[in-house]
């Protein structure tokens, strides 16, 4: 069971790394976010399987994550409609 | 609209007061009375606030003369300033001036003296700037700031007199004259009198104050304001007798007399010549007072007031006749065209010189004889006699330019002198300047002075006067082939004509070096170091460092997020390991 947690941890970390580092296409960022969501889904399933009568929480989480994915894709579509591409290299902290 | 002018009313009131003072002064002299009136304003436990008035024969006689001159001047200014829109304002200023002078004359304590003294300075400033142009403003500023020095001196006298318990100096002047505080007070009083009467360090305001209207000059700068200093010294006479400062005053006033006599010979402006002549006679008054003869100073004060006011009034009439022109090179031959005015001019000028039996003779000749009888060094003796010769010199020069040489203004002239308002006021003073010498010498002196002189010393006055007459005749030669030797001795001539460069002390010396220092401060500090440390320098520093800050902050978003993820990894890894 423990190596499941290790795998989840690795998935989560790599999803974060890709989210942080790949800033050329917005689609990559959104896909990394989905990957992170997937790892959290898996970890949530592993966790909730140990608690009786509470697997329904997973379904709630799934609904919310799908909404989030849909919102992200709609932002991508509107950005493509305004800018013509999905490059977003101009992010500065200031 | 009915223009109601205050001239007639004030003339009648002042003339009435003059008559009252005349009879009272004769009564007081004959019965040797002194009246001291006191009004106790408030009296707390041990403090009495008392307003006192000293009616002495000296003060009553002086008040009579002040009222006489001011009534003539107000009558004169009805016609002189007749086209002035705000004549009532002018008359009220003159009446304020007379009121301040009266307050100064009748006061036995130093507090009401300073009320009168400050009032004189302030009202004379208002009168000098009456024509509101740049020259009058500058002249007024010079006048009031010179007088202000004297005011400060009297304020300090008030402070020092608090040692004595009351401010009535009359009671202390002969009793406490050896006290150290009294010596300080005597120094300050002498300095105050020197500023008011325009003696040598402070003499630049009197020729400059001729920017005032001529009635103001006739009242203020001939008889009342400038003699206030002499009057103060007469009141404090017993205090000042043997101090060091009065000897200093003798030297300075003798030099004033001499310098003013020389300057008047180089001047071409009519009012400036008369102003310098006033300055010379003031020096005479101060110097005879500094020798100890205060009654002679008082006598000369009164007679001088008469003929000097008359001289100013004649000058004003001439200025009106010559179409507001004051230059004597443009006047001439006036004795033919305006006989009555030139009568007054001649008599007042000859009285000034000391021609026998006019008003000036009694005072001036007596002063010179007393000087010859007393114990002097040769410098002071020479200053007296040469200044008398110089008086004759500039007077004859003036009379030659005005009366004898040809009329120089324009080819067509209309000299309308039958302005009887001005002429009648001048005739009052003419009458007084004829008889006041003898009248006063019989009234004031209870016993005559003992004069015993060798023949040549007695004739010395006539010698210097004739010499002055000759020089005046020679100098006023305006033929086209006579050479003006001014430019041959240019440095000497400009030294003598610019009052020995002393006005530079009051004007240039007080302005230029301070302004130059201010410019240095401006260039070095305001536009220099202070900009480095606070203004532009700070701006530059903030700009530079904020740019560096900006560079530090200009990170990629990626790096920021990277650091976040890195920390998260480390944290979770630590939790996993534990």
């Amino acid at each position: 069971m423990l190596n499941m947690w290790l795998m989840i941890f690795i998935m989560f970390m790599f999803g974060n790394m890709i989210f942080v580092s790949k800033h050329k296409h917005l689609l990559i960022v959104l896909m990394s976010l989905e990957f992170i969501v997937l790892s959290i889904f898996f970890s949530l399933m592993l966790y909730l399987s140990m608690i009786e009568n509470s697997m329904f929480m997973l379904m709630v989480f799934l609904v919310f994550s799908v909404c989030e994915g849909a919102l992200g894709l709609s932002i991508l579509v509107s950005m493509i409609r305004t800018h013509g591409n999905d490059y977003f290299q101009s992010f500065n902290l200031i | 609209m009915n223009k109601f002018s205050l001239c007639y009313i004030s003339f009648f009131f002042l003339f009435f007061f003059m008559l009252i003072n005349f009879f009272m002064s004769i009564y007081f002299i004959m019965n040797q009375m002194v009246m001291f009136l006191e009004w106790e304003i408030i009296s707390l436990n041990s403090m009495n606030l008392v307003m006192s008035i000293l009616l002495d024969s000296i003060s009553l006689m002086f008040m009579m003369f002040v009222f006489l001159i001011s009534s003539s001047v107000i009558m004169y200014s009805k016609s002189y300033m007749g086209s002035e829109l705000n004549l009532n304002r002018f008359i009220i200023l003159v009446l304020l001036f007379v009121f301040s002078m009266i307050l100064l004359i009748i006061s036995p304590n130093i507090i009401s003296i300073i009320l009168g003294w400050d009032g004189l300075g302030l009202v004379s400033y208002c009168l000098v700037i009456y024509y509101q142009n740049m020259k009058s403003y500058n002249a007024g500023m010079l006048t009031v700031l010179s007088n202000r020095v004297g005011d400060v001196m009297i304020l300090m006298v008030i402070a020092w007199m608090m040692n004595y318990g009351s401010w009535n100096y009359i009671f202390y002047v002969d009793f406490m004259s050896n006290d150290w505080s009294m010596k300080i007070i005597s120094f300050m009083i002498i300095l105050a009198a020197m500023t008011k009467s325009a003696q040598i360090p402070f003499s630049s305001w009197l020729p400059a104050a001729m920017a005032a209207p001529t009635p103001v000059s006739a009242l203020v700068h001939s008889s009342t304001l400038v003699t206030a200093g002499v009057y103060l010294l007469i009141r404090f006479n017993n205090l000042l007798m043997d101090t060091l400062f009065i000897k200093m005053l003798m030297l300075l006033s003798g030099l004033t007399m001499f310098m003013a006599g020389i300057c008047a010979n180089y001047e071409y402006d009519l009012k400036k010549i008369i102003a310098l002549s006033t300055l010379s006679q003031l020096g005479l008054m101060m110097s005879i007072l500094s020798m100890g003869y205060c009654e002679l100073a008082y006598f000369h004060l009164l007679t001088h007031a008469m003929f000097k006011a008359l001289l100013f009034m004649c000058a004003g009439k001439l200025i009106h006749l010559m179409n507001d022109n004051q230059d004597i090179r443009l006047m001439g031959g006036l004795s033919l065209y305006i006989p009555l005015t030139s009568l007054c001019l001649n008599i007042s000028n000859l009285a000034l010189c000391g021609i026998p039996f006019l008003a000036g003779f009694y005072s001036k000749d007596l002063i010179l004889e007393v000087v010859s009888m007393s114990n002097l060094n040769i410098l002071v003796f020479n200053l007296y006699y040469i200044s008398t010769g110089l008086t004759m010199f500039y007077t004859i020069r003036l009379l030659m330019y005005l009366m004898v040489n040809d009329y120089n203004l324009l080819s067509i002239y209309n000299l309308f002198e039958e302005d009887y308002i001005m002429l009648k006021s001048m005739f009052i003073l003419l009458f007084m300047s004829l008889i006041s010498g003898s009248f006063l010498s019989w009234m004031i002196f209870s016993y005559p002075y003992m004069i015993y002189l060798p023949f040549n010393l007695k004739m010395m006055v006539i010698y210097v006067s004739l010499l002055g007459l000759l020089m005046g005749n020679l100098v006023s030669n305006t033929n086209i082939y006579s050479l003006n030797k001014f430019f041959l001795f240019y440095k000497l001539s400009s030294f003598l004509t610019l009052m020995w460069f002393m006005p530079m002390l009051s004007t240039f010396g007080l302005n230029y070096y301070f302004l130059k220092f201010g410019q240095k401060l401006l260039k070095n500090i305001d536009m220099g170091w202070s900009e480095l440390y606070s203004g532009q320098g700070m701006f530059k520093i903030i700009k530079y460092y904020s740019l560096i800050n900006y560079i530090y902050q200009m990170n990629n978003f990626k790096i920021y997020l990277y650091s976040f993820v890195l920390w998260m990894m480390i944290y979770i890894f630590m939790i996993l390991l534990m």
Side-chain angles (χ1 to χ4, degrees), chain B residues 206-468:
Chain B
L206 192 53
M210 292 298 125
T214 312
V216 170
S217 294
L219 179 60
V220 171
H221 300 122
S222 69
S223 42
T224 45
L225 180 74
V226 293
T227 57
V230 183
Y231 184 73
L232 191 72
L233 289 184
I234 291 175
R235 280 292 186 210
F236 274 82
N237 190 42
N238 292 325
L239 176 62
L240 305 169
M241 276 286 194
D242 279 321
T243 59
L244 169 68
F245 313 114
I246 205 102
K247 299 184 178 93
M248 168 191 91
L249 180 66
M250 182 193 292
L251 181 66
L252 289 175
S253 55
L255 284 174
T256 307
M257 193 166 52
F258 182 60
M259 174 199 79
I262 290 184
C263 274
N265 286 320
Y266 281 95
E267 275 292 337
Y268 286 106
D269 183 358
L270 178 61
K271 283 179 76 172
K272 279 221 169 65
I273 295 180
I274 305 181
L276 290 164
S277 144
T278 308
L279 190 57
S280 174
Q281 298 300 310
L282 280 175
L284 180 69
M285 281 182 232
M286 282 284 199
S287 51
I288 192 68
L289 194 145
S290 64
M291 287 173 66
Y293 301 105
C294 68
E295 311 92 26
L296 288 179
Y298 179 63
F299 184 25
H300 192 58
L301 196 157
L302 295 178
T303 54
H304 168 260
M306 286 289 121
F307 52 75
K308 198 47 72 74
L310 178 62
L311 190 55
F312 266 112
M313 286 188 186
C314 295
K317 196 148 167 54
L318 276 185
I319 291 171
H320 256 348
L321 288 173
M322 296 289 158
N323 200 9
D324 296 340
N325 179 31
Q326 287 182 346
D327 201 342
I328 58 172
R329 293 172 287 198
L330 295 174
M331 304 177 191
L334 294 175
S335 55
L336 298 170
Y337 307 133
I338 44 172
L340 283 177
T341 308
S342 63
L343 173 77
C344 299
L345 196 72
N346 273 327
I347 290 184
S348 55
N349 269 322
L350 295 176
L352 175 62
C353 294
I355 298 297
F357 310 118
L358 292 176
F361 165 73
Y362 289 93
S363 53
K364 230 174 155 186
D365 206 57
L366 189 55
I367 285 175
L368 286 171
E369 287 172 353
V370 162
V371 160
S372 306
M373 283 278 289
S374 57
N375 191 11
L376 285 176
N377 55 357
I378 198 163
L379 172 68
V380 180
F381 181 80
N382 276 337
L383 285 176
Y384 272 105
Y385 276 99
I386 294 179
S387 308
T388 311
L390 284 173
T391 305
M392 192 72 169
F393 183 4
Y394 61 71
T395 305
I396 295 296
R397 171 179 178 265
L398 182 67
L399 287 178
M400 291 285 288
Y401 267 101
L402 288 180
M403 307 276 163
V404 174
N405 292 333
D406 294 325
Y407 183 75
N408 273 335
L409 188 59
L410 292 170
S411 304
I412 293 184
Y413 53 89
N414 182 9
L415 298 170
F416 180 73
E417 70 148 357
E418 282 90 0
D419 185 359
Y420 280 107
I421 298 180
M422 275 200 219
L423 277 178
K424 277 179 193 164
S425 51
M426 277 157 45
F427 285 158
I428 299 175
L429 286 181
L430 179 70
F431 175 69
M432 285 304 288
S433 93
L434 283 171
I435 68 161
S436 66
S438 43
F439 155 67
L440 282 173
S441 73
W442 294 323
M443 298 255 77
I444 294 182
F445 299 112
S446 21
Y447 52 89
Y449 277 84
M450 166 62 185
I451 306 290
Y452 182 74
L453 290 170
F455 177 72
N456 276 334
L457 206 52
K458 180 98 177 157
M459 297 305 262
M460 187 69 151
V461 181
I462 300 189
Y463 294 157
V464 291
S465 301
L466 285 176
L467 195 61

Side-chain angles (χ1 to χ4, degrees), chain B residues 90 93 121-133 135-144 147 205 208-213 216-217 220-221 225:
Chain B
F90 182 75
L93 279 172
L122 177 67
V123 180
S124 71
Y125 173 68
C126 293
L127 286 170
V128 166
I129 61 168
Y130 193 78
Y131 296 144
Q132 294 151 4
N133 48 11
K135 195 163 179 214
S136 296
Y137 286 151
N138 289 333
M141 197 46 80
L142 193 51
T143 302
V144 76
N147 279 327
W205 68 266
M210 292 298 125
V216 170
S217 294
V220 171
H221 300 122
L225 180 74

Side-chain angles (χ1 to χ4, degrees), chain B residues 101-117:
Chain B
M101 189 71 197
I102 297 299
L103 191 59
L104 178 73
I105 292 173
I106 61 175
S107 59
N109 59 351
I110 202 88
I111 295 285
S112 49
I113 276 194
I114 202 176
L115 284 176
W117 193 273

Side-chain angles (χ1 to χ4, degrees), chain B residues 7 80 108 234 251 254 354 394 472 485 496 526 551 565 569:
Chain B
C7 290
Y80 188 86
I234 291 175
L251 181 66
Y394 61 71
K485 309 244 176 355
L496 292 175
D526 263 1
I551 292 174
V565 166
M569 266 171 61

Side-chain angles (χ1 to χ4, degrees), chain B residues 13-31 55-68 102 298 302 306 431-432 435-436 438-444:
Chain B
F13 266 107
L14 291 174
F15 202 76
F16 174 65
F17 284 134
M18 187 274 283
L19 288 173
I20 290 180
N21 280 319
F22 174 55
F23 291 117
M24 274 176 71
S25 68
I26 295 181
Y27 184 73
F28 274 45
I29 291 175
M30 285 176 57
N31 293 332
L55 293 177
D56 196 2
S57 67
I58 299 178
S59 51
L60 284 170
M61 190 75 78
F62 197 13
M63 277 205 285
M64 170 192 129
F65 274 75
V66 167
F67 278 131
L68 179 66
I102 297 299
Y298 179 63
L302 295 178
M306 286 289 121
F431 175 69
M432 285 304 288
I435 68 161
S436 66
S438 43
F439 155 67
L440 282 173
S441 73
W442 294 323
M443 298 255 77
I444 294 182

